[in-house]
Amino acid sequence: MEVKKVLVSGGTKGIGGAIVTKLLDEGYSVIATTRDKTKANIFEHKNLTVENLDLSSKDSVSEFQEKVESFKPSILINNAGVTKDNLFLRMSENDWTEVIETNLNGTYRLTKIFLKDMIKNKWGRIINITSIVGHTGNLGQANYSASKAGIVAFSKSLAFEYAKKNITVNCVSPGFIKTEMTDKINDDFKNKLVDKIPAGTLGSGDDVSNCVAFLASDTASYITGETIHVNGGMYMA
């Protein structure tokens, strides 16, 4: 059986790292991207390649495209994202633009690169990692919330366009997941946060990666244009 190829942007730590680990365990061949390869903490694996990619830079995207031109993944997981939080009136245009360029425009750029081969092969999975705040909004995250909400609408439109080509396009929307980022939150704020989660705990990277692996599989072939929320009941669509 041919090994399916997967590209995971932002795949070297946190949720992205958990996704890469899960897919490697299931036998996929994976390219994971990172903005800074020197800080990548993903383990070595015979079916894993780590490449530099800054999605906010058209030049970086072009260089990356040339480097991986022969890889042609049938599964694309748009996970990479950045935050530049601040109250809206204090948010600089650069902070707004960098988040939109990386999170939303970066998703557009990567999808544009690999979609044509999926159409040619009449099979593909595009899975976009969004966020609970793309549905609820959040204090100090007008830019990040807008980028994630835009990805949801983008995904629904692609799902309409390419369902007959046997290509599914879905989103996985994590709530608050235990990562290096959430580990830095002070205990008082973290406890208040957990109090708002019906499940009573932060999620894990595995909670998200299990959902991604399902959507990447043949089992999920009749699911497209959907957002699966992984948030312990904090937001119920």
Side-chain angles (χ1 to χ4, degrees):
M1 182 179 296
E2 183 181 356
V3 175
K4 287 183 179 175
K5 298 177 180 179
V6 186
L7 191 141
V8 183
S9 67
T12 59
K13 58 184 179 179
I15 290 173
I19 292 170
V20 168
T21 300
K22 175 69 174 178
L23 296 179
L24 287 172
D25 287 345
E26 295 202 355
Y28 294 92
S29 177
V30 181
I31 288 182
T33 76
T34 177
R35 292 179 76 174
D36 187 353
K37 196 172 180 179
T38 63
K39 295 181 180 179
N41 61 7
I42 198 74
F43 59 85
E44 292 185 4
H45 191 285
K46 65 179 181 179
N47 288 334
L48 172 66
T49 303
V50 178
E51 297 287 355
N52 282 99
L53 175 62
D54 179 358
L55 286 170
S56 67
S57 166
K58 293 180 181 179
D59 290 341
S60 178
V61 173
S62 295
E63 291 174 8
F64 174 76
Q65 182 177 1
E66 291 179 7
K67 191 177 294 185
V68 302
E69 189 172 5
S70 63
F71 186 68
K72 302 186 188 310
S74 57
I75 301 168
L76 171 63
I77 300 168
N78 287 303
N79 168 73
V82 297
T83 57
K84 293 285 182 178
D85 298 349
N86 214 330
L87 294 176
F88 180 69
L89 289 180
R90 298 176 184 172
M91 185 179 292
S92 70
E93 186 166 344
N94 285 341
D95 287 347
W96 173 271
T97 300
E98 182 176 351
V99 170
I100 297 297
E101 278 292 327
T102 301
N103 301 1
L104 182 55
N105 293 348
T107 296
Y108 158 81
R109 289 174 183 134
L110 270 190
T111 304
K112 196 73 175 286
I113 290 172
F114 299 113
L115 180 59
K116 290 181 180 179
D117 284 316
M118 294 181 189
I119 294 170
K120 182 179 178 181
N121 295 327
K122 298 180 181 179
W123 197 96
R125 299 283 184 268
I126 298 171
I127 304 165
N128 298 322
I129 309 302
T130 58
S131 169
I132 187 174
V133 303
H135 303 271
T136 64
N138 197 32
L139 182 70
Q141 290 194 310
N143 49 2
Y144 186 75
S145 299
S147 71
K148 294 300 186 178
I151 290 172
V152 172
F154 168 79
S155 302
K156 289 180 179 180
S157 296
L158 283 190
F160 267 118
E161 292 181 18
Y162 298 106
K164 290 183 179 179
K165 302 294 185 181
N166 203 25
I167 297 167
T168 65
V169 187
N170 293 290
C171 295
V172 175
S173 180
F176 289 90
I177 306 298
K178 183 175 173 58
T179 62
E180 291 178 9
M181 186 180 298
T182 55
D183 285 342
K184 295 176 183 178
I185 299 174
N186 68 67
D187 289 339
D188 183 54
F189 183 82
K190 190 180 296 184
N191 290 335
K192 291 179 180 177
L193 185 62
V194 169
D195 285 342
K196 297 178 181 179
I197 303 173
T201 184
L202 299 180
S204 71
D206 290 343
D207 293 322
V208 180
S209 66
N210 288 335
C211 187
V212 169
F214 165 66
L215 289 174
S217 71
D218 288 325
T219 308
S221 62
Y222 202 56
I223 301 172
T224 194
E226 293 296 325
T227 297
I228 298 181
H229 297 273
V230 184
N231 58 42
M234 192 174 184
Y235 172 77
M236 302 184 190

